[in-house]
Amino acid sequence: MTDRGDKDIEMKRTLLVFSALTAFVAPAIAPAVAQAQQAEARQDRGDRRTEARTERREQRREDRQQPRTERPQPPQDRGDRRPDRREDRQERREDRRDDRQDRREDRREDRQDRRPDTRPDTRPDTRQDRREDRRDDRQDRREDRRDDRRDDRSDRREDRREWRGDRRDDRAERREDRREDRFENRRDRRDYREFRRGWNRDNWRRDWNRSNRSDWWRNHRSFRGYSGVRVGFYFAPDYGYYSVPRQYWNQRWSEGQYLPSIFWRYQLNDYRTYGLGFPPEGTRWVYVDNHIYLIDEYDGYIIEVVYDFWRW
């Protein structure tokens, strides 16, 4: 009986010691266990977020690439490469926005994970979270503006390069045009010299005055509408009176100058009647007041002049 009683007492003591140890050790181990569980849960959530973010990016890339594969391939020239560059820049901007949005969501979730489960008042933490969100938003906006400025600079650089190339092409074309014009002008000047060799103004004037009176024009059918000198108007045979701008009124032009284009239309067609020379190809005789000019039809260059063809 005594041995059994001692065993019961010793078992009771052992139970009491184990209960006391459990009461002291369990509260100390509980926070560590809770932290380990929270860390494991955060790791699981982070893995799930990473997988979801990767799936979203792949889905967005597939959505953006899908219409591109269906489009026909444009020809590779300078005008068509510019839309491709714009599309590439737009895709890079969208990727950066997606990355920033994912980082923002990750920061929010990390802050929520770091918060303690029990807190007396949530308002200070909420204000702090809002401040951090605003800082993140400001930082993201700054990054967006920097990216936009970089893209704008690159666009301007590319535009300047293209403008330089266009200006070089234009200058080369103008040089070729000037060379061609100079060549044509030389050829035209040769034709003009040949015309002067075949027709002499002084000889024509002498012969015309010998065979015609000074008032030969009064009974001519081309001068039927003539009624006297009018200020601000010229009279052209077979055409009648026409208004003349003030800066051209009572003005003479000489050989080597350029006749204003308002006089080009009053062409003299019956030059044989007046004994004038046959105009070379690309030239014409025109009336200007009582003078007759042989001009180039292209630019109005004056080749020959007959002053005072008739006297009023």
Side-chain angles (χ1 to χ4, degrees):
M1 294 296 293
T2 305
D3 295 335
R4 184 180 297 177
D6 293 337
K7 289 180 180 180
D8 293 336
I9 293 171
E10 189 168 354
M11 185 179 294
K12 290 179 181 179
R13 289 177 181 175
T14 303
L15 291 174
L16 290 173
V17 171
F18 181 77
S19 300
L21 291 174
T22 303
F24 284 107
V25 172
I29 296 175
V33 175
Q35 290 178 359
Q37 293 176 353
Q38 291 177 359
E40 186 176 357
R42 282 197 299 272
Q43 184 65 28
D44 295 337
R45 284 195 296 271
D47 295 339
R48 288 196 297 272
R49 285 199 303 270
T50 303
E51 293 176 358
R53 186 165 58 248
T54 304
E55 292 177 358
R56 289 197 300 271
R57 289 180 183 173
E58 293 177 355
Q59 184 65 31
R60 283 193 293 265
R61 289 194 185 94
E62 292 176 358
D63 294 340
R64 285 195 297 269
Q65 292 175 358
Q66 184 65 27
R68 182 184 301 178
T69 57
E70 296 176 356
R71 285 200 305 266
Q73 185 67 20
Q76 296 296 329
D77 56 0
R78 185 176 61 189
D80 295 333
R81 286 197 299 271
R82 191 182 302 175
D84 294 337
R85 289 196 294 269
R86 290 198 185 97
E87 293 177 1
D88 294 337
R89 286 195 294 273
Q90 185 65 23
E91 291 177 0
R92 290 197 296 272
R93 289 175 188 163
E94 293 177 358
D95 291 337
R96 286 195 293 270
R97 291 193 187 97
D98 297 338
D99 294 337
R100 283 193 291 274
Q101 184 65 25
D102 294 335
R103 290 197 299 270
R104 193 180 298 130
E105 294 176 357
D106 293 341
R107 286 195 295 268
R108 289 196 184 98
E109 293 177 358
D110 292 338
R111 284 196 297 273
Q112 292 176 0
D113 293 338
R114 287 195 299 269
R115 293 175 192 166
D117 295 335
T118 58
R119 50 178 182 261
D121 190 2
T122 60
R123 285 180 296 177
D125 294 334
T126 304
R127 286 196 298 270
Q128 183 67 25
D129 293 339
R130 286 200 297 269
R131 291 193 195 99
E132 293 178 357
D133 291 338
R134 284 196 296 270
R135 290 192 194 98
D136 296 336
D137 294 337
R138 283 195 296 270
Q139 184 66 26
D140 293 336
R141 286 196 295 270
R142 290 192 195 100
E143 293 177 0
D144 291 337
R145 286 195 295 270
R146 290 193 192 99
D147 296 336
D148 293 338
R149 283 196 294 270
R150 293 191 192 98
D151 294 335
D152 292 338
R153 290 192 198 103
S154 62
D155 293 340
R156 287 196 295 271
R157 290 192 193 99
E158 293 174 359
D159 293 338
R160 281 196 295 271
R161 293 191 191 100
E162 293 174 357
W163 292 335
R164 291 190 195 106
D166 293 339
R167 286 199 297 272
R168 291 191 191 98
D169 297 337
D170 294 338
R171 283 196 295 269
E173 292 175 358
R174 286 197 295 270
R175 290 193 197 101
E176 294 177 359
D177 293 339
R178 284 198 295 270
R179 290 191 190 100
E180 294 175 358
D181 292 339
R182 282 198 296 269
F183 178 76
E184 292 176 357
N185 290 334
R186 291 193 196 103
R187 186 178 59 190
D188 294 340
R189 300 300 184 265
R190 293 191 195 101
D191 296 339
Y192 303 159
R193 285 195 295 271
E194 293 176 359
F195 171 80
R196 292 193 183 95
R197 292 192 193 100
W199 187 85
N200 184 271
R201 177 175 53 192
D202 297 332
N203 295 337
W204 173 86
R205 175 72 68 182
R206 185 181 61 250
D207 296 339
W208 179 261
N209 290 336
R210 285 177 182 175
S211 58
N212 295 277
R213 296 171 51 184
S214 59
D215 59 347
W216 61 268
W217 55 273
R218 293 188 180 277
N219 297 323
H220 199 278
R221 56 183 177 81
S222 299
F223 291 83
R224 290 177 182 175
Y226 179 74
S227 60
V229 178
R230 298 182 185 179
V231 178
F233 290 85
Y234 282 165
F235 180 83
D238 295 324
Y239 293 96
Y241 289 95
Y242 62 92
S243 177
V244 180
R246 183 177 299 176
Q247 66 269 24
Y248 300 143
W249 168 256
N250 202 23
Q251 183 176 350
R252 282 189 178 189
W253 290 269
S254 59
E255 298 175 8
Q257 294 181 334
Y258 292 87
L259 188 70
S261 59
I262 62 170
F263 301 112
W264 298 1
R265 70 186 70 177
Y266 304 106
Q267 182 176 357
L268 190 154
N269 296 316
D270 54 346
Y271 55 87
R272 293 188 182 88
T273 303
Y274 301 109
L276 299 173
F278 178 79
E281 184 179 358
T283 64
R284 67 174 67 175
W285 291 99
V286 295
Y287 297 109
V288 181
D289 196 13
N290 61 337
H291 316 304
I292 297 179
Y293 294 84
L294 179 65
I295 64 169
D296 191 328
E297 293 179 345
Y298 177 74
D299 55 1
Y301 178 81
I302 298 174
I303 305 166
E304 188 62 72
V305 185
V306 177
Y307 295 114
D308 299 326
F309 185 63
W310 61 87
R311 298 181 184 276
W312 302 120

